[in-house]
Amino acid sequence: MRLAELVTATAIALLSVYLMWKSGEGPSWDPTAQRFANIGINIDGRGPGSGFWPFWLSAAMFLASLAVIFNWATRRSRPSRSDDQYLDAEGKKMLVQVGGGLFAFLGLIHFLGYYGAIFLFLIYSVYYIGRHKLRLTLAVSVAVPVFCFFFFDIAMRIVLPKGYLEPLFLPLYEIFY
């Protein structure tokens, strides 16, 4: 358990540094983009660039990883003092169930789009893995895609993939665009 905590925290810290670096890169077609102008520096009076949120979220993730590494080195957390096996049989089973569900979700995006795939993934996660009642499962599985649609497609104008379900969204686009 101790080694797994260190390896995971180090991997996440390295990923965070990479994401902070990449978030500072401007689009290659934008001649006015300068290195790290996207992370919060005011660009020609327009405000922060596109990398603002990715940079600062990655920075927070990096700091959290450093805190885990510090706790590991000082043996402050329970996992940092444990010599137990990292994944027992139940842990491996959950890893396969959750990982398999995520891969299925990613595969379904091509066919059902983001909203159809997230609907099915939430049913699988909440009902099958979480063992919650069908009523709660359906409420969450419907509410999340509806919220995401109005947040991304309508409010932020970030069109997510629709797959073969795209004709179902055309009336909504006529109403809101």
Side-chain angles (χ1 to χ4, degrees):
M1 184 68 84
R2 184 168 158 71
L3 178 62
E5 183 180 38
L6 176 64
V7 169
T8 303
T10 303
I12 291 173
L14 292 173
L15 176 66
S16 301
V17 169
Y18 170 77
L19 292 173
M20 286 189 289
W21 179 264
K22 291 301 284 183
S23 67
E25 293 179 357
S28 60
W29 61 87
D30 184 359
T32 62
Q34 49 187 328
R35 189 95 184 119
F36 294 110
N38 289 335
I39 63 170
I41 300 170
N42 196 347
I43 302 172
D44 299 331
R46 295 184 309 225
S50 61
F52 177 81
W53 280 111
F55 176 85
W56 291 108
L57 290 173
S58 298
M61 192 166 69
F62 178 73
L63 292 176
S65 299
L66 291 182
V68 170
I69 292 170
F70 176 78
N71 285 340
W72 174 87
T74 59
R75 294 182 178 249
R76 291 184 183 205
S77 66
R78 194 170 65 92
S80 68
R81 294 186 303 268
S82 174
D83 290 328
D84 293 342
Q85 181 181 358
Y86 180 59
L87 282 177
D88 58 1
E90 182 65 23
K92 290 176 184 173
K93 177 183 167 191
M94 285 302 292
L95 181 67
V96 169
Q97 286 178 339
V98 173
L102 285 172
F103 279 111
F105 164 69
L106 292 173
L108 285 173
I109 289 176
H110 176 72
F111 301 103
L112 300 177
Y114 173 79
Y115 303 111
I118 196 71
F119 173 75
L120 292 178
F121 176 73
L122 286 170
I123 289 175
Y124 170 75
S125 297
V126 176
Y127 188 73
Y128 178 72
I129 294 178
R131 305 280 187 225
H132 292 281
K133 295 188 184 286
L134 188 59
R135 188 175 187 165
L136 174 67
T137 300
L138 292 176
V140 169
S141 300
V142 169
V144 169
V146 168
F147 172 80
C148 288
F149 173 76
F150 283 105
F151 182 75
F152 288 108
D153 281 59
I154 304 303
M156 296 188 67
R157 308 249 183 215
I158 299 171
V159 179
L160 296 177
K162 308 285 184 302
Y164 294 117
L165 299 179
E166 187 164 8
L168 300 175
F169 292 90
L170 296 178
L172 293 171
Y173 284 132
E174 290 178 17
I175 293 171
F176 293 106
Y177 281 133

